[in-house]
Every structure is written in structure tokens, then in C-alpha cells.
Amino acid sequence: MMQKFRAWDKAENKMIDNIISINFVFGYITFDTENVINKKRYFDDIIFMQSTGLHDEQGVEIFKGDIVKIIYDSEPFTGVVVYDLGETDFKATNNHEDYGNNFQYLTVGESIEVIGNVHQHPELLE
């Protein structure tokens, strides 16, 4: 599977969905907008959001930082998608670094739906 990313643009408060390239040597991405081709944004001005490789019930691609609603054992759970280094897997958590048992694996639910992301809709986690 090819890695796919999008980025939250901290300078303009909007999502960059069409990343063309990532330059690790000089620390920037290039992307296209409606008005500008090959626009640059430096790493300090963005937050990378990696694709999980999964899609929700409506076919929406799920990225790290997305807020998802998962139904597991007929119980709803709302959480933010994070990457767990210890388990080398993506999961939805309550947005606390030490989330203990308050998480759900993305692949075990009866259904999953992307309802927003932490940058545009943080209130969904309250």
C-alpha cells in the first residue's frame, strides 16, 4: 500500500488534500489549489495526517486526526483516530495520551463513520 497524507494548514486554517510531493531535505510540501499550482508550505506550518488505509460506511477515507463514531457491541463510541506505536495500529481514542481502556480499534466495530476532524471540529470530542 502506498502511503497517503493530507495536511492541516495552520497558517490558513484549512485542509490540504492534494499534496503533490513531500521534500524531507528542505522540510516542505508542495500542493495545488484552485488558484496556485505547486504551492509550498513548510513543515512548521502544517500538521500531517496519515491515511489509515480504511474507509467508513460511506466510503470516506479515514485519516489520523479524524473524529469517528464507532458502533461496537451496539454501543456508540466517539473518538479521534491516533496511531499507537506500541501496537503499531490505528485506533480511536478519547483524545488523551494515556487513554487506557478508553479506545476502540477501527476494524472491530459494527459500523464506523467519519464525523469530522480535530482541527475543524474539536467540539465533537466533548
Side-chain angles (χ1 to χ4, degrees):
M1 176 178 85
M2 185 173 174
Q3 294 296 322
K4 184 174 180 184
F5 294 90
R6 67 182 185 196
W8 177 251
D9 185 338
K10 295 188 283 186
E12 295 192 23
N13 287 324
K14 62 184 188 181
M15 196 65 68
I16 299 170
D17 290 313
N18 47 350
I19 295 174
I20 297 169
S21 67
I22 302 173
N23 186 319
F24 291 102
V25 175
F26 296 106
Y28 65 84
I29 62 170
T30 56
F31 60 99
D32 289 344
T33 67
E34 291 179 8
N35 302 323
V36 181
I37 296 175
N38 289 331
K39 189 171 182 176
K40 285 185 186 176
R41 190 69 76 220
Y42 286 90
F43 289 173
D44 288 344
D45 296 324
I46 61 171
I47 299 171
F48 279 107
M49 301 173 73
Q50 181 180 358
S51 172
T52 64
L54 302 171
H55 293 79
D56 76 357
E57 305 261 320
Q58 277 67 48
V60 175
E61 191 167 10
I62 303 171
F63 285 81
K64 179 181 172 201
D66 279 343
I67 299 172
V68 293
K69 183 176 181 181
I70 299 174
I71 305 296
Y72 178 73
D73 238 5
S74 300
E75 295 289 325
F77 177 85
T78 300
V80 62
V81 176
V82 298
Y83 185 76
D84 187 329
L85 284 173
E87 296 189 21
T88 63
D89 198 5
F90 289 98
K91 57 178 68 167
T93 77
N94 63 355
N95 205 26
H96 297 292
E97 191 168 323
D98 182 19
Y99 43 83
N101 290 328
N102 200 359
F103 71 89
Q104 284 295 338
Y105 292 105
L106 299 180
T107 56
V108 299
E110 297 152 26
S111 70
I112 186 169
E113 176 185 9
V114 174
I115 59 173
N117 67 67
V118 294
H119 307 291
Q120 294 171 301
H121 307 286
E123 71 280 358
L124 294 173
L125 290 171
E126 296 173 1

